[in-house]
Amino acid sequence: ALFKLDSLHLETHRTMLRTVLGAGRCQLRNIQLTQFRFAGHNKWSNIKHTKAAQDGIKAKRNLLYTVRIQNAITDRDGDNNPDSNSALRKVLSEAKASNVPRATIDNALKNSKKNDYMVIPIEISLPGGILLYTECLAKNRQQVHVDINNILKKKGGNIERGTSSIFQQKGVIIAQYHSNIDSDRIEEDAIEAGAEEVNVLDESDQTIEFITGATDLEAVSNHLLQNKYKIIDSSAPYLPKMPVEPSAVQKKVASNLIEALESHQLVS
C-alpha cells in the first residue's frame, strides 16, 4: 500500500481555518493576505526540515501521478490525447505543476496499461470538529484500513464516512518572493496570476502560499515563475469548506496524528 497524504487539514472554510498572529488580514477582490495559517505553516516547516526525505516523497508522488495518468487513459479506452481526454488533461496539468519529471509523464503516457492500484480516500475525524482527508494508493483496500487504524489507535482519531463533500480540490503553491517586495505587490501578482488567495507563511524566509482553482495550478505556477517567484512546492489537495475553531490542545492532538501519518514509510 502507498498512501498520499492530501494536505490533512486543520483549516476549514473556503479560505481555510486561519490562526492569525499579530498582524490583521486585508482583502483585495478575492485575494486574502494573512500573517500565518496553521496547516500551511506546518507544511512549510515540514518542507524546510525534511530535505533528506524529499527524494522518497517525490518518488511516491511520481508513482501516484503515474497511476492517475494510466487510469485516466484506460478509463477512456486507451485515449492518451489530452485534447480529447479531459480527465487526462487535468491530471497532466497537476503533474506538471507538481514537478513530476517529464520522463515520468512520458513513460506513463506510453505505458498506459491497466494497473492494479486503487486510489482509496480515507476520512478521519478528531475532537474539535477536525476532519482529515487522505488519499491512499494501494492494491489491497483492507490493508489500507488496517495500517491507518493502527496509527489511529496510537494517536487518536476515527475513520469516518460521508464527510468528503465538505472538501474541494484546490491548487496550493508554496513560493518564495524576491527581496524588497511589499504586500501590495504580492496581491497584485496573485490577482494577475489568477490565484484565489495568498497567505504569508514565514516573513523571515519570504515564504508565501497561493491558493488556486484545481485546474489553474499549472497556469498560476508558470505566471509566478515568470515574475521571479521561486516555487518550493505545488500540489492539488482537497481543502475544507466549513470553519471550525479547535482548541490549542485539539490542534496539538491533530498535529501529532499528522506527524505520525507523514512519518510512516508508506505515506507521502
Side-chain angles (χ1 to χ4, degrees):
L2 171 67
F3 300 107
K4 179 176 185 296
L5 205 62
D6 239 337
S7 208
L8 297 186
H9 293 291
L10 301 184
E11 343 86 325
T12 45
H13 193 39
R14 175 178 173 278
T15 56
M16 303 136 76
L17 177 148
R18 300 195 178 334
T19 306
V20 181
L21 303 180
R25 181 176 65 199
C26 57
Q27 180 172 342
L28 178 61
R29 301 182 193 175
N30 269 341
I31 305 301
Q32 298 189 2
L33 185 65
T34 64
Q35 187 71 12
F36 175 82
R37 182 177 59 76
F38 179 83
H41 184 273
N42 183 62
K43 180 176 182 180
W44 170 233
S45 296
N46 290 343
I47 290 172
K48 286 197 298 183
H49 298 303
T50 59
K51 293 292 187 182
Q54 289 305 300
D55 286 347
I57 292 173
K58 290 177 181 177
K60 293 172 184 178
R61 177 182 290 183
N62 293 347
L63 176 58
L64 178 68
Y65 277 106
T66 294
V67 171
R68 284 180 168 171
I69 290 168
Q70 292 174 338
N71 288 347
I73 293 172
T74 55
D75 288 347
R76 289 289 297 271
D77 299 322
D79 182 4
N80 64 356
N81 184 350
D83 292 333
S84 55
N85 186 337
S86 59
L88 176 61
R89 183 166 61 250
K90 180 175 181 293
V91 173
L92 289 177
S93 178
E94 290 178 15
K96 292 173 184 176
S98 298
N99 298 316
V100 176
R102 183 74 234 182
T104 299
I105 295 173
D106 289 342
N107 287 336
L109 290 170
K110 293 175 183 177
N111 303 296
S112 56
K113 61 182 180 180
K114 188 68 176 179
N115 58 71
D116 296 328
Y117 285 102
M118 299 177 288
V119 179
I120 303 168
I122 299 290
E123 303 152 52
I124 301 170
S125 66
L126 286 163
I130 297 170
L131 292 173
L132 312 181
Y133 184 91
T134 73
E135 282 188 332
C136 304
L137 185 64
K139 296 181 179 181
N140 186 317
R141 186 181 298 271
Q142 184 60 36
Q143 189 61 46
V144 169
H145 286 269
V146 170
D147 288 356
I148 291 292
N149 273 314
N150 285 339
I151 296 175
L152 297 182
K153 286 177 183 178
K154 297 177 182 179
K155 298 295 182 179
N158 298 289
I159 292 180
E160 295 288 345
R161 296 181 185 274
T163 65
S164 60
S165 62
I166 75 164
F167 294 88
Q168 59 185 339
Q169 193 176 26
K170 292 288 185 180
V172 177
I173 302 166
I174 294 178
Q176 287 180 309
Y177 54 90
H178 41 85
S179 302
N180 303 320
I181 187 172
D182 58 20
S183 61
D184 289 339
R185 173 63 185 277
I186 293 173
E187 290 180 343
E188 290 172 5
D189 289 342
I191 292 170
E192 291 176 1
E196 297 176 358
E197 176 188 347
V198 58
N199 303 305
V200 175
L201 299 182
D202 191 329
E203 282 188 311
S204 63
D205 283 339
Q206 297 178 314
T207 309
I208 50 182
E209 175 193 62
F210 296 89
I211 307 298
T212 78
T215 60
D216 299 327
L217 181 60
E218 184 181 10
V220 174
S221 294
N222 289 339
H223 185 93
L224 294 174
L225 287 171
Q226 291 171 6
N227 283 273
K228 310 304 182 182
Y229 288 83
K230 179 181 179 182
I231 305 298
I232 305 299
D233 184 76
S234 59
S235 58
Y238 288 84
L239 305 187
K241 302 175 184 176
M242 301 297 293
V244 294
E245 297 181 2
S247 67
V249 172
Q250 291 165 340
K251 288 180 186 177
K252 180 63 175 176
V253 170
S255 293
N256 289 340
L257 174 58
I258 291 171
E259 183 177 353
L261 290 167
E262 289 181 335
S263 64
H264 193 282
Q265 62 178 351
L266 298 178
V267 178
S268 62

